[in-house]
Coordinates of all heavy atoms in Angstrom, one line a residue:
Chain A
M1533 N 44.6 -88.8 25.5 CA 45.6 -88.5 26.6 C 46.1 -89.8 27.3 O 47.2 -89.9 27.6 CB 45.0 -87.6 27.6 CG 44.7 -86.2 27.0 SD 44.1 -85.1 28.2 CE 44.9 -83.6 27.7
R1534 N 45.1 -90.8 27.4 CA 45.5 -92.0 28.0 C 46.6 -92.7 27.1 O 47.6 -93.2 27.6 CB 44.3 -92.9 28.2 CG 43.3 -92.4 29.2 CD 42.0 -93.0 29.0 NE 41.9 -94.4 29.5 CZ 41.7 -94.7 30.8 NH1 41.5 -93.8 31.7 NH2 41.6 -96.0 31.1
W1535 N 46.3 -92.7 25.8 CA 47.3 -93.3 24.9 C 48.7 -92.6 25.0 O 49.7 -93.2 25.0 CB 46.8 -93.4 23.5 CG 46.0 -94.6 23.2 CD1 44.6 -94.6 23.0 CD2 46.4 -95.9 23.2 NE1 44.2 -95.9 22.8 CE2 45.3 -96.7 22.9 CE3 47.7 -96.6 23.3 CZ2 45.3 -98.1 22.8 CZ3 47.7 -97.9 23.2 CH2 46.6 -98.7 23.0
G1536 N 48.6 -91.3 25.1 CA 49.8 -90.5 25.3 C 50.6 -90.9 26.5 O 51.8 -91.0 26.4
M1537 N 49.9 -91.1 27.6 CA 50.5 -91.5 28.9 C 51.1 -92.9 28.7 O 52.3 -93.1 29.2 CB 49.5 -91.4 30.0 CG 50.1 -91.5 31.4 SD 51.1 -90.1 31.8 CE 52.1 -90.8 33.1
V1538 N 50.4 -93.8 28.1 CA 50.9 -95.1 27.9 C 52.2 -95.1 27.1 O 53.3 -95.7 27.4 CB 49.9 -96.0 27.1 CG1 50.5 -97.3 26.7 CG2 48.7 -96.3 28.1
L1539 N 52.2 -94.3 26.0 CA 53.4 -94.2 25.1 C 54.6 -93.6 25.9 O 55.7 -94.0 25.8 CB 53.1 -93.5 23.9 CG 52.2 -94.2 22.9 CD1 51.9 -93.3 21.7 CD2 52.9 -95.5 22.4
F1540 N 54.3 -92.6 26.7 CA 55.3 -91.9 27.5 C 55.9 -92.9 28.5 O 57.2 -93.0 28.6 CB 54.7 -90.7 28.3 CG 55.6 -90.1 29.3 CD1 56.8 -89.5 28.9 CD2 55.3 -90.2 30.7 CE1 57.6 -89.0 29.8 CE2 56.2 -89.7 31.6 CZ 57.4 -89.0 31.2
I1541 N 55.1 -93.7 29.2 CA 55.7 -94.7 30.1 C 56.5 -95.7 29.4 O 57.5 -96.1 29.9 CB 54.5 -95.3 31.0 CG1 54.0 -94.2 31.9 CG2 55.0 -96.5 31.8 CD1 52.8 -94.7 32.8
V1542 N 56.1 -96.1 28.2 CA 56.9 -97.1 27.4 C 58.2 -96.5 27.1 O 59.3 -97.1 27.2 CB 56.1 -97.5 26.1 CG1 57.1 -98.3 25.2 CG2 54.9 -98.4 26.5
S1543 N 58.2 -95.2 26.7 CA 59.5 -94.6 26.4 C 60.4 -94.5 27.7 O 61.6 -94.6 27.6 CB 59.3 -93.2 25.8 OG 59.0 -92.2 26.8
E1544 N 59.8 -94.3 28.8 CA 60.5 -94.3 30.1 C 61.1 -95.6 30.4 O 62.2 -95.7 30.9 CB 59.6 -93.9 31.3 CG 59.2 -92.4 31.2 CD 60.1 -91.5 32.0 OE1 61.3 -91.4 31.6 OE2 59.7 -91.0 33.1
L1545 N 60.4 -96.7 30.1 CA 60.9 -98.1 30.3 C 62.1 -98.3 29.4 O 63.1 -98.8 29.9 CB 59.8 -99.1 29.9 CG 58.7 -99.3 31.0 CD1 57.6 -100.2 30.4 CD2 59.3 -100.0 32.3
L1546 N 62.1 -97.8 28.2 CA 63.3 -97.9 27.3 C 64.4 -97.1 27.8 O 65.6 -97.5 27.7 CB 62.9 -97.5 25.9 CG 61.8 -98.3 25.2 CD1 61.5 -97.8 23.8 CD2 62.2 -99.8 25.1
F1547 N 64.2 -96.0 28.5 CA 65.2 -95.1 29.1 C 65.9 -96.0 30.1 O 67.2 -96.0 30.1 CB 64.5 -93.9 29.7 CG 65.4 -93.0 30.4 CD1 66.2 -92.1 29.7 CD2 65.3 -92.9 31.8 CE1 67.0 -91.2 30.4 CE2 66.1 -91.9 32.5 CZ 67.0 -91.1 31.8
F1548 N 65.2 -96.6 31.0 CA 65.8 -97.5 32.0 C 66.4 -98.7 31.5 O 67.4 -99.2 32.0 CB 64.8 -97.8 33.2 CG 64.7 -96.7 34.1 CD1 63.7 -95.7 34.0 CD2 65.6 -96.5 35.2 CE1 63.5 -94.7 34.9 CE2 65.5 -95.4 36.0 CZ 64.5 -94.5 35.9
F1549 N 65.9 -99.2 30.4 CA 66.4 -100.4 29.7 C 67.9 -100.2 29.3 O 68.7 -101.1 29.5 CB 65.6 -100.8 28.5 CG 65.9 -102.1 27.9 CD1 65.3 -103.3 28.4 CD2 66.8 -102.2 26.9 CE1 65.6 -104.5 27.8 CE2 67.1 -103.4 26.3 CZ 66.5 -104.6 26.8
S1550 N 68.2 -99.0 28.9 CA 69.5 -98.6 28.5 C 70.5 -98.7 29.6 O 71.6 -99.1 29.5 CB 69.6 -97.3 27.8 OG 69.3 -96.3 28.7
F1551 N 70.0 -98.3 30.8 CA 70.9 -98.4 32.0 C 71.2 -99.8 32.4 O 72.3 -100.2 32.8 CB 70.4 -97.6 33.2 CG 70.2 -96.1 32.9 CD1 69.0 -95.4 33.2 CD2 71.2 -95.4 32.1 CE1 68.9 -94.1 32.9 CE2 71.0 -94.1 31.8 CZ 69.8 -93.4 32.2
F1552 N 70.1 -100.6 32.3 CA 70.3 -102.1 32.6 C 71.3 -102.7 31.6 O 72.1 -103.5 32.0 CB 69.0 -102.8 32.7 CG 68.2 -102.6 33.9 CD1 67.2 -101.7 34.0 CD2 68.6 -103.3 35.1 CE1 66.5 -101.5 35.2 CE2 67.9 -103.1 36.3 CZ 66.9 -102.2 36.3
W1553 N 71.2 -102.3 30.4 CA 72.1 -102.8 29.3 C 73.5 -102.5 29.7 O 74.4 -103.3 29.7 CB 71.7 -102.2 28.0 CG 72.4 -102.8 26.8 CD1 73.8 -102.9 26.6 CD2 71.8 -103.6 25.8 NE1 74.0 -103.6 25.5 CE2 72.9 -104.1 25.0 CE3 70.5 -103.9 25.4 CZ2 72.6 -104.8 23.8 CZ3 70.3 -104.7 24.3 CH2 71.3 -105.1 23.5
A1554 N 73.8 -101.2 30.1 CA 75.1 -100.8 30.5 C 75.6 -101.6 31.7 O 76.7 -102.1 31.7 CB 75.1 -99.3 30.8
Y1555 N 74.7 -101.8 32.6 CA 75.0 -102.5 33.9 C 75.4 -104.0 33.6 O 76.5 -104.4 34.0 CB 73.9 -102.5 34.8 CG 74.1 -103.4 36.0 CD1 74.9 -103.0 37.1 CD2 73.4 -104.6 36.1 CE1 75.1 -103.8 38.2 CE2 73.6 -105.4 37.2 CZ 74.5 -105.0 38.2 OH 74.7 -105.8 39.3
F1556 N 74.6 -104.7 32.8 CA 74.9 -106.1 32.5 C 76.1 -106.2 31.6 O 76.8 -107.2 31.7 CB 73.6 -106.8 31.9 CG 72.6 -107.1 33.0 CD1 71.4 -106.5 32.9 CD2 73.0 -107.9 34.0 CE1 70.4 -106.8 33.9 CE2 72.0 -108.2 35.0 CZ 70.8 -107.7 35.0
H1557 N 76.3 -105.2 30.6 CA 77.4 -105.3 29.8 C 78.7 -105.3 30.6 O 79.6 -106.0 30.4 CB 77.4 -104.0 28.9 CG 78.7 -103.9 28.1 ND1 78.8 -104.4 26.8 CD2 79.8 -103.3 28.4 CE1 80.1 -104.1 26.4 NE2 80.7 -103.4 27.3
S1558 N 78.7 -104.4 31.7 CA 79.9 -104.3 32.5 C 80.1 -105.4 33.5 O 81.2 -105.7 33.9 CB 79.9 -102.9 33.2 OG 79.9 -101.9 32.2
S1559 N 79.0 -105.9 34.0 CA 79.0 -106.8 35.2 C 79.1 -108.3 34.8 O 79.6 -109.1 35.5 CB 77.8 -106.6 36.1 OG 76.6 -106.9 35.4
L1560 N 78.5 -108.7 33.6 CA 78.5 -110.1 33.3 C 79.8 -110.6 32.8 O 80.1 -111.8 32.9 CB 77.4 -110.3 32.2 CG 76.0 -110.3 32.7 CD1 75.0 -110.4 31.5 CD2 75.7 -111.5 33.6
S1561 N 80.7 -109.7 32.3 CA 82.0 -110.1 31.9 C 83.0 -109.0 32.3 O 83.4 -108.2 31.5 CB 82.0 -110.3 30.4 OG 83.3 -110.6 29.9
P1562 N 83.3 -109.0 33.6 CA 84.1 -107.8 34.1 C 85.5 -107.8 33.5 O 86.1 -108.8 33.4 CB 84.1 -108.1 35.6 CG 83.2 -109.2 35.9 CD 83.0 -109.9 34.6
T1563 N 85.9 -106.6 33.1 CA 87.3 -106.5 32.5 C 88.4 -106.7 33.6 O 88.1 -106.5 34.8 CB 87.4 -105.2 31.9 OG1 87.3 -104.2 32.9 CG2 86.4 -104.9 30.8
S1564 N 89.6 -106.9 33.1 CA 90.7 -107.1 34.1 C 91.0 -105.8 34.8 O 91.5 -105.8 35.9 CB 91.9 -107.5 33.3 OG 92.3 -106.6 32.3
E1565 N 90.6 -104.6 34.2 CA 90.9 -103.4 34.9 C 90.2 -103.3 36.3 O 90.7 -102.6 37.2 CB 90.5 -102.2 34.1 CG 91.4 -101.8 32.9 CD 91.3 -102.7 31.8 OE1 90.5 -103.7 31.8 OE2 92.1 -102.6 30.8
I1566 N 89.1 -104.0 36.4 CA 88.4 -103.9 37.7 C 88.6 -105.3 38.5 O 87.8 -105.6 39.3 CB 86.9 -103.6 37.5 CG1 86.2 -104.5 36.6 CG2 86.7 -102.1 37.1 CD1 84.7 -104.4 36.5
G1567 N 89.6 -106.0 38.1 CA 89.9 -107.3 38.8 C 89.2 -108.5 38.3 O 89.1 -109.5 38.9
A1568 N 88.6 -108.4 37.1 CA 87.8 -109.5 36.5 C 86.8 -110.0 37.4 O 86.5 -111.2 37.4 CB 88.8 -110.5 35.9
Q1569 N 86.2 -109.2 38.2 CA 85.2 -109.6 39.2 C 84.1 -108.6 39.4 O 84.3 -107.4 39.1 CB 85.8 -109.9 40.5 CG 86.6 -108.8 41.1 CD 87.2 -109.1 42.4 OE1 86.5 -109.5 43.3 NE2 88.5 -108.8 42.6
W1570 N 82.9 -109.0 39.8 CA 81.8 -108.0 40.1 C 81.2 -108.4 41.5 O 80.9 -109.5 41.7 CB 80.7 -108.1 39.0 CG 79.8 -106.9 39.1 CD1 78.7 -106.8 39.8 CD2 80.0 -105.7 38.4 NE1 78.2 -105.6 39.6 CE2 79.0 -104.8 38.8 CE3 81.0 -105.1 37.6 CZ2 78.8 -103.5 38.4 CZ3 80.9 -103.8 37.2 CH2 79.8 -103.0 37.5
P1571 N 81.1 -107.4 42.4 CA 81.6 -106.1 42.3 C 83.1 -105.9 42.1 O 83.8 -106.9 42.5 CB 81.1 -105.4 43.6 CG 80.9 -106.6 44.5 CD 80.5 -107.7 43.7
P1572 N 83.6 -104.9 41.5 CA 85.0 -104.7 41.2 C 85.8 -104.8 42.5 O 85.3 -104.6 43.6 CB 85.1 -103.3 40.6 CG 83.8 -103.0 40.1 CD 82.8 -103.7 41.0
A1573 N 87.1 -105.1 42.3 CA 88.0 -105.2 43.5 C 87.9 -103.9 44.4 O 87.9 -102.8 43.9 CB 89.5 -105.4 43.0
S1574 N 87.9 -104.2 45.7 CA 87.8 -103.1 46.7 C 86.6 -102.2 46.6 O 86.6 -101.1 47.1 CB 89.1 -102.4 46.9 OG 89.6 -101.9 45.7
I1575 N 85.5 -102.6 45.9 CA 84.2 -101.9 46.0 C 83.4 -102.6 47.0 O 83.1 -103.8 46.8 CB 83.5 -101.8 44.6 CG1 84.2 -100.9 43.6 CG2 82.1 -101.4 44.8 CD1 83.9 -99.4 43.8
N1576 N 82.9 -101.9 48.0 CA 82.0 -102.5 49.0 C 80.6 -101.9 48.7 O 80.3 -100.8 49.1 CB 82.4 -102.2 50.4 CG 83.8 -102.7 50.7 OD1 84.1 -103.9 50.5 ND2 84.7 -101.9 51.2
G1577 N 79.8 -102.7 48.1 CA 78.4 -102.3 47.8 C 77.5 -102.3 49.1 O 77.9 -102.8 50.1
F1578 N 76.3 -101.9 48.9 CA 75.3 -101.9 50.0 C 74.9 -103.3 50.3 O 74.6 -104.1 49.4 CB 74.1 -101.0 49.7 CG 74.5 -99.6 49.6 CD1 74.3 -98.9 48.4 CD2 74.9 -98.8 50.7 CE1 74.6 -97.6 48.3 CE2 75.2 -97.5 50.6 CZ 75.1 -96.9 49.4
N1579 N 74.7 -103.6 51.6 CA 74.1 -104.9 51.9 C 72.6 -104.9 51.5 O 71.8 -104.1 52.0 CB 74.2 -105.1 53.4 CG 73.6 -106.5 53.8 OD1 72.9 -107.1 53.1 ND2 74.0 -107.0 55.0
P1580 N 72.2 -105.7 50.5 CA 70.9 -105.6 49.9 C 69.8 -106.0 50.9 O 68.6 -105.7 50.7 CB 70.9 -106.6 48.8 CG 72.0 -107.6 49.1 CD 73.0 -106.8 49.9
F1581 N 70.2 -106.6 52.0 CA 69.1 -107.1 53.0 C 68.9 -106.1 54.1 O 68.2 -106.4 55.0 CB 69.5 -108.5 53.5 CG 69.6 -109.5 52.4 CD1 70.9 -110.0 52.1 CD2 68.5 -109.8 51.7 CE1 71.0 -110.9 51.1 CE2 68.7 -110.7 50.6 CZ 69.9 -111.2 50.3
Q1582 N 69.5 -104.9 54.0 CA 69.2 -103.9 55.0 C 68.3 -102.8 54.4 O 67.2 -103.1 54.0 CB 70.6 -103.3 55.5 CG 71.3 -104.4 56.3 CD 72.7 -104.0 56.8 OE1 73.1 -102.9 56.5 NE2 73.4 -104.9 57.5
I1583 N 68.8 -101.6 54.2 CA 67.9 -100.5 53.7 C 67.2 -100.8 52.4 O 66.0 -100.6 52.2 CB 68.6 -99.1 53.7 CG1 68.7 -98.6 55.2 CG2 67.8 -98.1 52.9 CD1 69.3 -97.3 55.3
P1584 N 68.0 -101.4 51.4 CA 67.3 -101.7 50.1 C 66.1 -102.6 50.2 O 65.1 -102.4 49.5 CB 68.5 -102.3 49.3 CG 69.7 -101.7 49.8 CD 69.5 -101.6 51.3
L1585 N 66.2 -103.6 51.1 CA 65.1 -104.5 51.3 C 63.9 -103.8 51.9 O 62.8 -104.0 51.5 CB 65.5 -105.7 52.1 CG 64.4 -106.8 52.3 CD1 64.0 -107.4 51.0 CD2 64.9 -107.9 53.2
L1586 N 64.2 -102.9 52.9 CA 63.2 -102.1 53.5 C 62.5 -101.2 52.4 O 61.3 -101.1 52.4 CB 63.8 -101.2 54.6 CG 62.8 -100.3 55.3 CD1 61.6 -101.0 55.9 CD2 63.5 -99.5 56.4
N1587 N 63.3 -100.7 51.6 CA 62.8 -99.8 50.5 C 61.9 -100.6 49.5 O 60.9 -100.1 49.0 CB 63.9 -99.2 49.7 CG 64.3 -97.8 50.3 OD1 63.5 -97.2 51.0 ND2 65.5 -97.4 50.0
T1588 N 62.3 -101.9 49.3 CA 61.4 -102.8 48.4 C 60.1 -103.0 49.1 O 59.0 -102.8 48.4 CB 62.1 -104.1 48.2 OG1 63.4 -103.9 47.7 CG2 61.4 -105.0 47.3
A1589 N 60.1 -103.2 50.4 CA 58.8 -103.4 51.1 C 58.0 -102.2 51.1 O 56.8 -102.2 50.9 CB 59.1 -103.8 52.6
I1590 N 58.7 -101.0 51.2 CA 57.9 -99.7 51.2 C 57.3 -99.5 49.9 O 56.1 -99.1 49.8 CB 58.9 -98.6 51.6 CG1 59.3 -98.6 53.0 CG2 58.3 -97.2 51.2 CD1 60.5 -97.7 53.3
L1591 N 58.0 -99.7 48.8 CA 57.4 -99.5 47.5 C 56.3 -100.5 47.2 O 55.3 -100.2 46.6 CB 58.5 -99.5 46.4 CG 59.3 -98.2 46.2 CD1 60.1 -98.2 44.9 CD2 58.4 -97.0 46.2
L1592 N 56.5 -101.8 47.6 CA 55.4 -102.8 47.4 C 54.2 -102.3 48.2 O 53.0 -102.4 47.7 CB 55.9 -104.2 47.8 CG 56.9 -104.8 46.9 CD1 57.3 -106.2 47.4 CD2 56.2 -105.1 45.5
A1593 N 54.4 -101.9 49.4 CA 53.2 -101.4 50.2 C 52.6 -100.2 49.6 O 51.3 -100.1 49.6 CB 53.7 -101.0 51.7
S1594 N 53.4 -99.3 49.0 CA 52.8 -98.2 48.3 C 52.0 -98.6 47.1 O 51.0 -97.9 46.7 CB 53.9 -97.1 47.9 OG 54.5 -97.5 46.7
G1595 N 52.4 -99.7 46.5 CA 51.6 -100.2 45.3 C 50.3 -100.7 45.8 O 49.2 -100.6 45.1
V1596 N 50.2 -101.3 47.0 CA 48.9 -101.7 47.6 C 48.1 -100.5 47.9 O 46.9 -100.4 47.6 CB 49.2 -102.5 48.9 CG1 47.8 -102.9 49.6 CG2 49.9 -103.8 48.6
T1597 N 48.6 -99.5 48.6 CA 47.8 -98.3 49.0 C 47.3 -97.5 47.8 O 46.2 -97.0 47.8 CB 48.6 -97.4 49.9 OG1 49.8 -97.0 49.3 CG2 49.0 -98.0 51.2
V1598 N 48.1 -97.5 46.7 CA 47.7 -96.7 45.5 C 46.5 -97.5 44.8 O 45.6 -96.9 44.3 CB 48.9 -96.4 44.6 CG1 49.1 -97.6 43.6 CG2 48.7 -95.1 43.8
T1599 N 46.6 -98.8 44.9 CA 45.5 -99.6 44.4 C 44.2 -99.4 45.2 O 43.1 -99.4 44.7 CB 45.9 -101.1 44.3 OG1 47.1 -101.2 43.5 CG2 44.8 -101.9 43.6
W1600 N 44.4 -99.4 46.5 CA 43.3 -99.1 47.4 C 42.6 -97.7 47.0 O 41.4 -97.7 46.9 CB 43.8 -99.0 48.9 CG 42.9 -98.5 49.9 CD1 41.5 -98.6 50.0 CD2 43.3 -97.8 51.1 NE1 41.1 -98.0 51.1 CE2 42.1 -97.6 51.8 CE3 44.5 -97.5 51.7 CZ2 42.1 -96.9 53.1 CZ3 44.5 -96.8 52.9 CH2 43.3 -96.5 53.6
A1601 N 43.5 -96.7 46.8 CA 42.9 -95.4 46.4 C 42.2 -95.5 45.1 O 41.1 -94.9 44.9 CB 44.1 -94.4 46.4
H1602 N 42.8 -96.2 44.2 CA 42.2 -96.3 42.8 C 40.8 -96.9 42.9 O 39.9 -96.4 42.3 CB 43.2 -97.2 42.0 CG 42.9 -97.1 40.5 ND1 43.7 -97.8 39.6 CD2 42.0 -96.4 39.8 CE1 43.2 -97.5 38.3 NE2 42.2 -96.7 38.4
H1603 N 40.7 -98.1 43.6 CA 39.4 -98.7 43.7 C 38.4 -97.9 44.4 O 37.2 -97.8 44.1 CB 39.6 -100.1 44.3 CG 40.1 -101.1 43.4 ND1 39.2 -101.9 42.6 CD2 41.3 -101.4 43.0 CE1 40.0 -102.7 41.8 NE2 41.3 -102.4 42.0
A1604 N 38.9 -97.1 45.5 CA 38.0 -96.2 46.2 C 37.4 -95.1 45.3 O 36.3 -94.8 45.4 CB 38.8 -95.6 47.4
I1605 N 38.3 -94.6 44.4 CA 37.8 -93.6 43.4 C 36.7 -94.2 42.5 O 35.6 -93.6 42.3 CB 38.9 -93.0 42.6 CG1 39.9 -92.2 43.5 CG2 38.4 -92.2 41.4 CD1 41.2 -91.9 42.8
L1606 N 37.0 -95.4 42.0 CA 36.0 -96.1 41.2 C 34.7 -96.4 41.9 O 33.6 -96.4 41.3 CB 36.6 -97.4 40.6 CG 37.8 -97.3 39.7 CD1 38.4 -98.7 39.4 CD2 37.5 -96.6 38.4
E1607 N 34.8 -96.6 43.2 CA 33.6 -96.9 44.0 C 33.0 -95.6 44.6 O 32.1 -95.8 45.5 CB 33.9 -97.9 45.1 CG 34.5 -99.2 44.6 CD 33.5 -100.1 44.0 OE1 32.3 -100.0 44.3 OE2 33.9 -100.9 43.1
N1608 N 33.5 -94.5 44.3 CA 33.0 -93.2 44.9 C 33.2 -93.2 46.4 O 32.4 -92.5 47.1 CB 31.5 -93.0 44.5 CG 31.4 -92.2 43.2 OD1 32.2 -91.3 42.9 ND2 30.4 -92.6 42.4
E1609 N 34.2 -93.8 46.9 CA 34.5 -93.8 48.4 C 35.5 -92.7 48.6 O 36.7 -92.9 48.7 CB 35.1 -95.1 48.8 CG 34.1 -96.3 48.7 CD 33.1 -96.3 49.9 OE1 33.2 -95.4 50.8 OE2 32.2 -97.2 49.9
H1610 N 35.0 -91.5 48.7 CA 35.9 -90.3 48.7 C 36.9 -90.3 49.8 O 38.1 -90.2 49.6 CB 35.1 -89.0 48.8 CG 35.9 -87.8 48.7 ND1 36.6 -87.4 47.6 CD2 36.2 -86.9 49.7 CE1 37.2 -86.3 47.8 NE2 37.1 -86.0 49.1
S1611 N 36.4 -90.6 51.1 CA 37.3 -90.5 52.2 C 38.4 -91.6 52.1 O 39.6 -91.3 52.4 CB 36.5 -90.6 53.5 OG 37.1 -91.4 54.4
Q1612 N 38.0 -92.8 51.7 CA 39.0 -93.9 51.5 C 40.0 -93.6 50.4 O 41.2 -93.9 50.5 CB 38.4 -95.2 51.2 CG 37.6 -95.7 52.4 CD 37.6 -97.2 52.5 OE1 38.4 -97.9 51.9 NE2 36.6 -97.8 53.1
S1613 N 39.6 -92.9 49.3 CA 40.5 -92.6 48.3 C 41.6 -91.6 48.7 O 42.7 -91.7 48.4 CB 39.8 -92.1 47.0 OG 39.0 -91.0 47.3
V1614 N 41.1 -90.6 49.6 CA 42.0 -89.6 50.1 C 43.0 -90.3 51.0 O 44.3 -90.1 50.9 CB 41.3 -88.5 50.9 CG1 42.2 -87.6 51.6 CG2 40.4 -87.7 49.9
Q1615 N 42.5 -91.2 51.9 CA 43.4 -91.9 52.8 C 44.5 -92.7 52.0 O 45.7 -92.7 52.4 CB 42.7 -92.8 53.7 CG 41.8 -92.1 54.8 CD 40.8 -93.1 55.5 OE1 41.2 -94.2 55.8 NE2 39.6 -92.7 55.6
G1616 N 44.0 -93.5 51.0 CA 44.9 -94.3 50.3 C 46.0 -93.5 49.5 O 47.2 -93.9 49.5
L1617 N 45.6 -92.4 48.9 CA 46.5 -91.6 48.2 C 47.5 -90.9 49.2 O 48.7 -90.8 48.9 CB 45.8 -90.5 47.4 CG 46.3 -90.2 46.0 CD1 46.6 -91.5 45.2 CD2 45.4 -89.3 45.2
L1618 N 47.0 -90.5 50.3 CA 47.9 -89.8 51.3 C 48.9 -90.8 51.8 O 50.1 -90.5 51.9 CB 47.0 -89.3 52.5 CG 47.8 -88.5 53.6 CD1 48.4 -87.3 53.0 CD2 46.9 -88.2 54.8
A1619 N 48.5 -92.1 52.1 CA 49.4 -93.1 52.5 C 50.5 -93.4 51.5 O 51.7 -93.5 51.8 CB 48.6 -94.4 52.8

Side-chain angles (χ1 to χ4, degrees):
Chain A
M1533 292 182 143
R1534 292 160 76 85
W1535 275 111
M1537 192 66 200
V1538 168
L1539 290 173
F1540 171 65
I1541 290 176
V1542 169
S1543 77
E1544 289 267 66
L1545 283 170
L1546 298 179
F1547 178 74
F1548 279 95
F1549 190 86
S1550 67
F1551 299 136
F1552 281 101
W1553 191 296
Y1555 172 76
F1556 284 116
H1557 172 90
S1558 302
S1559 63
L1560 283 171
S1561 177
T1563 62
S1564 59
E1565 282 79 1
I1566 54 171
Q1569 55 177 309
W1570 196 269
S1574 50
I1575 286 276
N1576 299 309
F1578 294 116
N1579 184 338
F1581 302 110
Q1582 292 177 1
I1583 285 181
L1585 183 61
L1586 177 58
N1587 270 338
T1588 304
I1590 289 167
L1591 280 193
L1592 286 175
S1594 80
V1596 173
T1597 56
V1598 86
T1599 303
W1600 169 31
H1602 196 179
H1603 282 265
I1605 292 166
L1606 295 174
E1607 302 287 332
N1608 272 323
E1609 294 281 359
H1610 184 69
S1611 142
Q1612 290 211 26
S1613 59
V1614 171
Q1615 291 169 42
L1617 218 47
L1618 184 64

